[in-house]
Amino acid sequence: MKVAKLYSFKDIRIEDMPIPEIGPNEALIKTKACGICSGDVMPWYIERKAPLVPGHEPAGEIVECRTQSFRIGDRVFVHHHAPCMSCRYCIRGDYVQCQTWKDTRIIPGGISEYILIPEINLRNDTLLIPEGMNYEDATLIEPTACVVKSLKRAGIRKGDTVLVIGLGVMGQIHVLLARMFGVDRVIGADMVEFRLRKAVEFGADHVIDVKREDIFERVKDLTDGKGAEIVIVGPNSVEAMITGLRTVSSGGSVVLFTPARPGEMLNIDPNEIYFRDINIITSYSCGPDDTREAIRIIERGTVNARLLVTHRFPIEDTEKAFRITEEAKESLKCIIIL
């Protein structure tokens, strides 16, 4: 079978690999499509795992199965990690801290013609793709689930204003879903005109071109000087996080949706945070409850590939898909079609 194998961020090769042999309570899927995640194009993040077959947003059809839970021919979404569902972290809903979640993976990775789904992934975070949902839509389940978790953790109250900093595909999904969580007004900020236009198309009330406007003054103007009650920080930099802290209202929440680059330090005046009652919230990946909610959202059509997928490539052009995603210009979501 063909796989895309990443040796370094600038070295992605198409190679042949034996089709994995499944064991008891495992399944093999023929991959139909797999998305490229924004995390896949953070060199420091992906290269520490190299060499690897990247991709963790696959959807496919079961072609071999040794479990009673699924059948050959089932169309499935599979999460690359799966929690144990019984440890203290899982009981509290903190699935991403579960050691089993951290240790599990799909074999060999998402950008592969076939994928082995281990027993724990099959049991705890593999879901049937509903009738009427295509494989391209199904590649959006995991990223949508990450946004569901982010907005749930944000503590939104009815009537809040949300500022989304960074309007790549994850920022756009935040824009698409924000009103479901009670947000009254959505503001988007980016430096790419294409993405600013898309945010307006997807329901943003206002957008801020940070190349031409002072984001701090513009947010003040739009919020009567108060700031946004909820700020979602998408870009992986301390600079973006500081922007989030400076644009949030007193009593508001800043959601750090992406990690910072290695070596960066976020310096905070604790009294500024304390006396303004600002909440700093992290949101890393997602859990099984989020993926199930994401499927329902995609079924309703709020999020779909027609809106978000801008580029489609065969597996042979995986490197090109990575470069377009990295450039972050006139693109939202790149997917590999197998």
Side-chain angles (χ1 to χ4, degrees), residues 12 38 42 44 62 94 133 188 202 250 269 322 328:
I12 301 173
S38 51
M42 293 191 293
W44 67 268
I62 292 180
D94 294 326
M133 184 183 297
F202 295 159
S250 295
D269 179 346
F322 267 64

Side-chain angles (χ1 to χ4, degrees), residues 16-320:
D16 287 316
M17 181 181 289
I19 296 174
E21 295 184 8
I22 69 170
N25 301 310
E26 295 181 337
L28 185 75
I29 66 168
K30 182 173 178 58
T31 314
K32 298 295 185 177
C34 184
I36 306 293
C37 172
S38 51
D40 291 334
V41 297
M42 293 191 293
W44 67 268
Y45 183 76
I46 195 75
E47 285 186 342
R48 66 183 183 178
K49 307 174 186 179
L52 82 159
V53 174
H56 57 263
E57 301 171 356
E61 178 185 343
I62 292 180
V63 293
E64 193 176 344
C65 192
R66 294 182 64 184
T67 175
Q68 298 298 313
S69 303
F70 294 92
R71 298 179 297 177
I72 291 173
D74 281 345
R75 302 184 318 130
V76 295
F77 149 82
V78 54
H79 199 286
H80 55 304
H81 296 303
C84 71
M85 303 302 289
S86 60
C87 71
R88 180 61 181 161
Y89 290 119
C90 287
I91 291 168
R92 297 183 72 249
D94 294 326
Y95 302 108
V96 301
Q97 302 306 322
C98 167
Q99 192 59 47
T100 300
W101 189 93
K102 295 176 182 180
D103 292 341
T104 47
R105 66 187 186 95
I106 53 177
I107 301 170
I111 307 179
S112 170
E113 289 185 311
Y114 293 89
I115 299 170
L116 186 154
I117 309 176
E119 177 183 2
I120 187 73
N121 297 69
L122 201 61
R123 183 172 70 244
N124 289 345
D125 216 353
T126 296
L127 301 173
L128 289 171
I129 298 171
E131 287 187 27
M133 184 183 297
N134 61 44
Y135 287 114
E136 291 191 11
D137 288 342
T139 65
L140 297 171
I141 293 170
E142 193 269 353
T144 300
C146 292
V147 173
V148 167
K149 176 180 174 180
S150 167
L151 291 171
K152 285 194 296 190
R153 290 174 71 91
I156 294 167
R157 300 178 187 177
K158 187 172 177 58
D160 280 353
T161 292
V162 64
L163 168 64
V164 181
I165 299 175
L167 295 171
V169 68
M170 304 308 285
Q172 302 287 355
I173 298 175
H174 276 91
V175 170
L176 287 165
L177 299 191
R179 293 189 206 282
M180 288 177 46
F181 288 81
V183 166
D184 182 59
R185 183 168 46 169
V186 180
I187 304 170
D190 203 290
M191 61 178 64
V192 178
E193 185 178 345
F194 170 81
R195 296 182 172 196
L196 293 165
R197 290 199 309 268
K198 282 293 182 183
V200 172
E201 182 183 326
F202 295 159
D205 298 285
H206 308 278
V207 292
I208 302 169
D209 184 342
V210 298
K211 287 192 305 184
R212 301 177 182 178
E213 302 175 88
D214 184 312
I215 186 172
F216 308 109
E217 292 303 318
R218 186 71 176 124
V219 170
K220 281 183 181 179
D221 290 343
L222 293 170
T223 60
D224 298 322
K226 296 189 299 292
E229 286 88 359
I230 306 293
V231 180
I232 310 293
V233 180
N236 63 313
S237 73
V238 160
E239 181 183 3
M241 295 174 183
I242 291 170
T243 299
L245 290 168
R246 289 184 60 192
T247 50
V248 71
S249 71
S250 295
S253 297
V254 177
V255 179
L256 307 183
F257 189 73
T258 309
R261 292 183 286 262
E264 289 189 320
M265 298 297 290
L266 179 59
N267 296 313
I268 300 172
D269 179 346
N271 285 349
E272 173 76 5
I273 301 300
Y274 181 84
F275 287 112
R276 291 186 60 211
D277 258 343
I278 294 171
N279 300 297
I280 299 176
I281 298 165
T282 58
S283 188
Y284 166 43
S285 192
C286 58
D289 52 346
D290 305 311
T291 55
R292 285 169 172 78
E293 190 165 347
I295 283 183
R296 293 192 290 270
I297 289 168
I298 294 169
E299 271 194 290
R300 293 196 297 267
T302 308
V303 171
N304 60 61
R306 178 181 55 81
L307 293 173
L308 295 171
V309 175
T310 53
H311 295 76
R312 298 163 176 84
F313 297 95
I315 192 172
E316 291 81 4
D317 289 338
T318 297
E319 174 131 14
K320 185 175 181 181

